[in-house]
Amino acid sequence: MMGLLKKIALLIVVLPLLSSCIREEEVTNTPQGNFEALWKIIDEQYCFLEYKQIDWNAIHDKYSKLITNTMSSEGLFEVLGNMLNELKDGHVNLASAHNVSYYDAWYQDYPRNFREDIVEDVYLGKASTDYRTAAGVKYKIFEDNIGYMRYESFSSGIGDGNLDEILSYLAACNGLIIDVRSNGGGNVTNSTRIAARFTNKKVLTGYIRHKTGKGHNDFSEPYPIELEPSNSIRWQKKVVVLTNRRSYSATNDFVNQMSCLPNVTIMGDNTGGGSGMPFTSELPNGWTVRFSASPHFSVDMEQIEWGIEPDIKVDMDKADEANHIDTIIEKARAFLKGKWMPE
């Protein structure tokens, strides 16, 4: 945990220095000036241009033809937003007073593999007394003595006291399901705080690199990221983490950490990715651009920007859905009880 915080602190120091030298000349607050400023910010600071094999110069030529000095603010926003979508990155956003652009095709073309109504009505229960809630985590013990935790967003802060309460309540269970399907991310501090409850020793979970110059390949050496065990209650039994394509950003980070632990199995679909540490800069007209600045790697130094494969691939079955059965939860329960193994 402290190691990761040190890396983030270094990132905070380095990136403003890069931001201060985005361009040699001052740009003007015109459509062309704002276009050039945005293009240059991405050219010098975005961290995946080389990895994604994006010809950013060709992108410049393509979109600069659409810029005119008489275009409206809305028209300029649309062009700039479309240009940023070429990066295919859910961490990239352009925000103005009237709109926010975002890229969502990282999950739109894939099966959802999650039905909130089935989880809420059948597995958690319709009444609030059917399950417990602590700091954004809904949890209960199924009738087969399998514990279940549903965490909808890593933006929901969770403290050590909350985790102590949850794990104490679930302690008698024979196994635990942690459901982070359709969790779009949030604060990585929360992902690390939870993951720390599932290891008894310090574990290497990946690496991070920081941008050190304007070139597309100007990065620092990889800095190791280590998960340190919590000093409080830790889970010692088997765990299954449920994922789908909408498990993104901080959730991607959580799944990566959990995948490094021996008693944990990842089940469901690929996560959506989103491994770049985001940073924000500003255009001359005051619009802000958020983009991926520092790439995060697995323990094998493989990029996890496009997502993490599950240990066991399971999709929702349409017949099960029609009968209000969550295929992935049922497979996880059977797996934890030793009654099912993938072929």
Side-chain angles (χ1 to χ4, degrees), residues 1 157-160 163 188-197 230:
M1 175 67 181
I158 187 165
D160 285 326
L163 290 169
V188 294
T189 300
N190 294 326
S191 71
T192 300
R193 181 173 290 130
I194 297 174
R197 295 305 184 109
S230 169

Side-chain angles (χ1 to χ4, degrees), residues 20 69 111 113 241 295:
S20 66
N69 286 332
N113 277 317
V241 178

Side-chain angles (χ1 to χ4, degrees), residues 124 131-141 146-152 156-173 175-179 190 193-194 197-198 232-235 237 239:
L124 286 172
Y131 60 90
R132 295 189 173 197
T133 302
V137 176
K138 298 176 181 178
Y139 62 103
K140 70 179 298 181
I141 300 175
I146 296 297
Y148 178 79
M149 292 172 56
R150 168 76 187 143
Y151 196 25
E152 297 177 350
S156 298
I158 187 165
D160 285 326
N162 301 128
L163 290 169
D164 285 346
E165 181 65 30
I166 293 169
L167 294 178
S168 294
Y169 178 75
L170 299 174
C173 295
L176 177 62
I177 297 170
I178 303 177
D179 194 344
N190 294 326
R193 181 173 290 130
I194 297 174
R197 295 305 184 109
F198 298 93
S232 193
I233 298 172
R234 297 195 293 267
W235 183 266
K237 304 170 189 177
V239 180

Side-chain angles (χ1 to χ4, degrees), residues 2 17 65 71-73 82 93 104 141 153 188 213 229 238 243 277 288 295 313 320 323 327 335 343:
M2 291 303 299
L17 295 177
K65 298 174 184 177
M71 70 192 309
S72 66
S73 175
N82 289 337
N93 309 105
D104 60 7
I141 300 175
S153 175
V188 294
K238 289 186 178 180
T243 60
M277 191 76 71
T288 57
K313 178 75 162 64
D320 282 347
N323 290 303
T327 311
F335 176 79
E343 298 179 359

Side-chain angles (χ1 to χ4, degrees), residues 67-126:
I67 303 297
T68 66
N69 286 332
T70 58
M71 70 192 309
S72 66
S73 175
E74 289 78 6
L76 175 64
F77 186 89
E78 181 178 358
V79 172
L80 298 187
N82 289 337
M83 181 175 75
L84 291 177
N85 283 343
E86 300 275 2
L87 300 174
K88 296 179 170 58
D89 190 333
H91 273 153
V92 175
N93 309 105
L94 182 66
S96 70
H98 64 272
N99 205 353
V100 177
S101 75
Y102 58 92
Y103 177 81
D104 60 7
W106 50 268
Y107 66 81
Q108 292 286 14
D109 296 331
Y110 298 88
R112 183 180 291 267
N113 277 317
F114 178 70
R115 282 272 302 275
E116 184 176 9
D117 61 323
I118 295 177
V119 170
E120 293 284 342
D121 296 344
V122 178
Y123 290 89
L124 286 172
K126 294 182 179 181

Side-chain angles (χ1 to χ4, degrees), residues 320-333:
D320 282 347
E321 284 192 60
N323 290 303
H324 289 85
I325 296 172
D326 189 308
T327 311
I328 303 175
I329 289 179
E330 293 301 330
K331 291 293 187 183
R333 292 170 74 173

Side-chain angles (χ1 to χ4, degrees), residues 119-298:
V119 170
E120 293 284 342
D121 296 344
V122 178
Y123 290 89
L124 286 172
K126 294 182 179 181
S128 60
T129 54
D130 291 337
Y131 60 90
R132 295 189 173 197
T133 302
V137 176
K138 298 176 181 178
Y139 62 103
K140 70 179 298 181
I141 300 175
F142 292 146
E143 63 274 9
D144 55 2
N145 205 39
I146 296 297
Y148 178 79
M149 292 172 56
R150 168 76 187 143
Y151 196 25
E152 297 177 350
S153 175
F154 280 100
S155 295
S156 298
I158 187 165
D160 285 326
N162 301 128
L163 290 169
D164 285 346
E165 181 65 30
I166 293 169
L167 294 178
S168 294
Y169 178 75
L170 299 174
C173 295
N174 295 327
L176 177 62
I177 297 170
I178 303 177
D179 194 344
V180 291
R181 289 175 296 173
S182 296
N183 183 327
N187 192 331
V188 294
T189 300
N190 294 326
S191 71
T192 300
R193 181 173 290 130
I194 297 174
R197 295 305 184 109
F198 298 93
T199 182
N200 293 320
K201 62 180 181 180
K202 183 185 294 186
V203 178
L204 176 70
T205 61
Y207 298 88
I208 191 169
R209 302 179 74 180
H210 304 302
K211 209 73 167 60
T212 58
K214 299 178 181 180
H216 294 178
N217 257 335
D218 291 344
F219 292 102
S220 68
E221 291 299 312
Y223 291 92
I225 300 174
E226 295 178 321
L227 176 66
E228 297 189 8
S230 169
N231 291 325
S232 193
I233 298 172
R234 297 195 293 267
W235 183 266
Q236 305 296 322
K237 304 170 189 177
K238 289 186 178 180
V239 180
V240 173
V241 178
L242 307 187
T243 60
N244 67 352
R245 285 291 304 187
R246 297 180 185 227
S247 303
Y248 193 75
S249 191
T251 313
N252 196 65
D253 175 71
F254 174 72
V255 173
N256 177 68
Q257 292 184 81
M258 295 294 283
S259 70
C260 299
L261 308 181
N263 289 333
V264 177
T265 300
I266 312 300
M267 185 180 295
D269 201 358
N270 281 42
T271 61
S275 70
M277 191 76 71
F279 182 70
T280 300
S281 191
E282 187 172 309
L283 304 187
N285 64 0
W287 294 354
T288 57
V289 56
R290 179 174 178 260
F291 56 91
S292 300
S294 295
H296 184 184
F297 302 84
S298 71

